[in-house]
């Protein structure tokens, strides 16, 4: 089998290797909206070289009635490396969970400690990641100043902007400077993911600290998200590759769609609503919304109106989360459960498998510019195998997050039984059998400038 190239840049197309699969994976897969038995021929460099009813002459593995999907790409994780609390998370633990959850490529956010605001910090973070990645990864840089953005443009894979303070990011771009900052990002040609909440709209009641998710929703209300999105759309220059992270409201979806802007939704905002008897494990930013908004968001997702699914995996130690609600940090782990929870929705007839694959696999991979979100010749053989008969209950003790808890405890989920990285098994029988030599996309391209973004 090939050396572990993972989701690096696409190799030059060699017509000989293209025609000679070294390994064949057979099973059912989606073709024109229906599941059909097909065979995937994988070349020695980990690329899909053929797709046919039957392929002979190579080592083969047949998964029978199980379903083969492209592995997912998660544009939004926080692996807390460097600077997170000891034993909370790092690149190895985070990408291990990714592998077991069927996520083959992750984008790590820049609000680490120190935050990624200059090329030196990005390079030292990259050095921590290399050799510790079970799946492919790329690193965001924080868009903090126009000068910082210019200096990072040859190093970062994408930018992240916070319109409200968050873990590790205590500054907010002043109103008059936002247009200049967005202009600097647009000039780099890189994508910008934005945490869109306007702190000016947060409700401040000095007599009462929020004590549950329903009160958290009132403290950071709908209008703070809607106003932040309006502000972005009004000052964002033409040519800016804008992406709104974790939209929580049907109104936000409509607005960004009308503007032709990309967005993502998380399983927590799609599946959990803000309850007055909920605890701080359900404290996230932006908040979980009330049931009416949640079900509206779900309808938007299942109808395909929200282009991308992302986890916003943001673990915290239990001792932090178990503080009184108003003192507990916001965020929850989720990269291992994102795809399994949604596969359960497919099983339950609530979500079309094709819609899920487009949102979890195809579109986010295209957003990054990596050919790994489709089962098609020319794409990386980053694949997961799912048996829809193997439903399980989510239990924190069976998950791999060092924080040891999940807000989805007890819900049904369907975890992948196999996961292939460039045609090599990294999960078999639901157990990790891989290594930590997956590649980091960018900044290895820093010297030669950014790779051309392939529209895969
Ligand atoms: Zn986040």
């Amino acid at each position: 089998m090939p050396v572990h190239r993972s989701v690096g840049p696409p190799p030059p197309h060699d017509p000989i290797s293209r025609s000679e699969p070294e390994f064949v994976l057979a099973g059912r897969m989606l073709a024109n909206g229906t599941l059909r038995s097909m065979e995937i021929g994988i070349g020695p460099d980990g690329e899909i070289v053929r797709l046919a009813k039957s392929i002979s002459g190579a080592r083969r593995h047949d998964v029978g009635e199980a379903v083969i999907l492209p592995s997912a790409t998660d544009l939004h994780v926080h692996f807390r490396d460097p600077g997170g609390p000891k034993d909370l998370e790092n690149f190895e633990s985070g990408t291990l969970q990714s592998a077991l959850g069927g996520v083959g490529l992750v984008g790590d956010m820049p609000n680490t400690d120190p935050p990624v605001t200059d090329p030196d910090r990005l390079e030292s973070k990259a050095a921590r990641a290399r050799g510790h990645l079970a799946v492919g990864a790329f690193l965001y840089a924080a868009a903090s100043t126009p000068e910082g953005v210019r200096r990072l443009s040859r190093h970062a894979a994408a930018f992240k902007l916070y319109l409200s303070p968050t873990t590790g990011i205590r500054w907010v771009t002043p109103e008059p400077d936002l247009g200049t900052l967005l202009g600097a990002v647009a000039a780099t040609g890189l994508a910008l993911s934005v945490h869109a909440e306007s702190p000016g709209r947060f409700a401040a009641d000095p007599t009462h600290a929020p004590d549950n998710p329903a009160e958290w929703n009132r403290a950071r209300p709908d209008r703070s998200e809607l106003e932040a999105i309006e502000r972005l759309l009004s000052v964002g220059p033409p040519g800016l590759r804008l992406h709104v992270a974790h939209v929580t409201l049907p109104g936000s979806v409509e607005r960004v769609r009308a503007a032709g802007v990309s967005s993502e939704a998380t399983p927590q905002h799609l599946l959990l609503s803000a309850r007055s008897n909920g605890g701080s494990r359900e404290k996230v930013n932006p908040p979980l919304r009330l049931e009416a908004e949640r079900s509206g968001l779900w309808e938007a997702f299942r109808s395909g109106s929200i282009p991308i699914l992302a986890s916003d995996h943001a673990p915290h130690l239990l001792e932090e989360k178990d503080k009184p609600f108003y003192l507990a940090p916001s965020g929850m782990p989720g990269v291992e459960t994102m795809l399994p929870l949604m596969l359960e929705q497919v099983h339950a007839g609530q979500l079309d498998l094709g819609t899920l694959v487009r949102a979890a696999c195809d579109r986010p991979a295209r957003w990054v510019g990596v050919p790994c979100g489709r089962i098609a010749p020319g794409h990386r053989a980053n694949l997961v195998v799912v048996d829809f008969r193997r439903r399980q209950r989510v239990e924190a003790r069976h998950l791999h997050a060092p924080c040891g808890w999940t807000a989805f405890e007890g819900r049904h989920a369907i975890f992948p039984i196999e996961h292939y990285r460039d045609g090599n098994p990294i999960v078999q029988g639901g157990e990790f059998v891989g290594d930590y030599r997956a590649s980091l996309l960018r900044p290895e391209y820093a010297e030669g400038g950014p790779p051309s973004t392939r529209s895969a």
Side-chain angles (χ1 to χ4, degrees):
M1 289 306 288
V3 292
H4 298 276
R5 290 179 52 101
S6 188
V7 287
H13 289 153
D14 172 353
I16 295 168
S17 74
R18 267 231 163 171
S19 62
E20 296 300 333
E22 187 180 83
F23 174 53
V24 172
L25 189 60
R28 293 193 300 155
M29 59 201 81
L30 265 183
N32 299 324
T34 51
L35 288 172
R36 299 203 187 131
S37 291
M38 294 282 283
E39 304 197 346
I40 303 168
I42 300 166
D45 60 4
E47 188 185 69
I48 297 173
V49 294
R50 210 181 303 165
L51 196 59
K53 254 321 255 155
S54 160
I55 301 172
S56 56
R59 197 166 54 81
R60 52 187 292 117
H61 174 53
D62 193 331
V63 302
E65 286 300 292
V67 175
I68 307 171
L69 305 171
S71 63
T73 289
D74 187 350
L75 296 183
H76 194 153
V77 302
H78 301 264
F79 288 163
R80 311 295 194 203
D81 191 353
K86 188 174 176 300
D87 302 330
L88 173 61
E89 197 75 282
N90 54 39
F91 282 109
E92 285 199 5
S93 64
T95 55
L96 170 69
Q97 293 163 69
S98 309
L100 290 161
V103 174
L105 176 62
V106 291
D108 189 65
M109 288 298 175
N111 59 328
T112 35
D113 186 10
V116 180
T117 49
D118 64 48
D120 287 347
R121 288 179 177 180
L122 185 67
E123 190 42 56
S124 74
K125 186 170 175 177
R128 296 180 68 90
R130 288 193 194 97
H132 301 277
L133 299 171
V135 301
F138 68 94
L139 302 179
Y140 287 83
S144 57
T145 63
E147 178 52 27
V149 164
R150 276 189 286 275
R151 294 182 57 216
L152 281 155
S153 64
R154 290 165 63 82
H155 301 263
F159 284 99
K160 177 72 181 282
L161 173 66
Y162 293 88
L163 294 180
S164 64
T166 188
T167 306
I169 301 273
R170 285 165 199 94
W171 72 84
V172 177
T173 304
E175 182 91 28
D177 299 342
L178 185 63
T180 313
L181 184 62
L182 296 182
V185 176
T188 68
L190 295 172
L192 175 72
S193 173
V194 183
H195 181 126
E197 282 187 290
S198 286
R201 291 291 183 170
F202 292 168
D205 176 357
T207 64
H208 181 71
D211 195 37
N212 59 61
E215 291 182 1
W216 193 238
N217 170 53
R218 281 199 288 280
R220 299 171 76 115
D222 294 7
R223 63 176 179 275
S224 60
E225 179 173 315
L226 296 166
E227 183 186 279
I229 288 171
E230 285 308 325
R231 199 177 146 214
L232 279 171
L233 297 179
S234 67
V235 299
L240 177 67
R241 289 183 57 205
L242 182 61
H243 173 83
V244 180
H246 40 48
V247 291
T248 68
L249 302 161
S252 304
V253 176
E254 270 175 44
R255 192 64 190 90
V256 296
R257 246 171 88 80
V261 162
S262 171
S263 68
E264 73 194 23
T266 70
Q268 48 272 32
H269 292 110
L270 290 167
L271 299 176
L272 306 176
S273 51
R275 303 174 303 150
S276 54
N277 60 349
S280 59
R281 294 182 194 191
E282 293 155 42
K283 184 181 182 186
V284 289
N285 293 337
L288 301 183
R289 301 302 185 186
L290 300 179
E291 179 55 21
E293 280 71 41
R294 185 214 60 85
S295 67
L297 192 75
W298 175 256
E299 277 309 311
F301 182 70
R302 66 176 283 183
S303 71
S305 297
I306 302 173
I308 290 175
L309 179 72
S311 74
D312 194 5
H313 174 86
H316 292 282
L317 295 173
L318 259 186
E319 65 202 61
E320 292 290 316
K321 270 301 208 185
D322 284 345
K323 286 177 177 171
F325 188 91
Y326 72 100
L327 292 175
S330 292
M332 62 170 68
V335 71
E336 189 173 1
T337 49
M338 176 178 78
L339 190 64
L341 287 166
M342 290 297 152
L343 289 168
E344 165 65 17
Q345 296 297 316
V346 172
H347 174 84
Q350 299 299 313
L351 179 63
D352 171 65
L353 182 59
T355 302
L356 174 60
V357 168
R358 284 188 289 278
C361 314
D362 184 31
R363 290 197 199 96
R366 288 162 61 191
W367 192 91
V368 190
V370 177
C372 64
R374 292 184 191 181
I375 301 178
H379 280 239
R380 308 305 303 162
N382 292 352
L383 305 164
V384 295
V385 177
V386 170
D387 184 344
F388 279 95
R389 296 163 302 187
R390 286 185 40 155
R391 298 167 72 220
Q392 280 172 258
R393 296 243 184 217
V394 174
E395 288 181 77
R397 64 196 176 99
H398 291 147
L399 297 175
H400 299 77
C403 68
W405 60 275
T406 169
F408 299 102
E409 187 79 27
R411 295 183 75 104
H412 278 111
I414 298 170
F415 290 86
I417 51 176
E418 296 176 14
H419 187 164
Y420 294 83
R421 189 184 83 205
D422 295 322
N424 297 302
I426 58 170
V427 171
Q428 282 181 323
E431 302 288 335
F432 183 66
V433 297
D435 59 39
Y436 290 91
R437 297 201 296 268
S439 53
L440 184 68
L441 302 183
R442 318 269 317 261
E444 66 260 40
Y445 303 110
E447 291 311 305
S452 60
T453 301
R454 283 167 52 110
S455 57

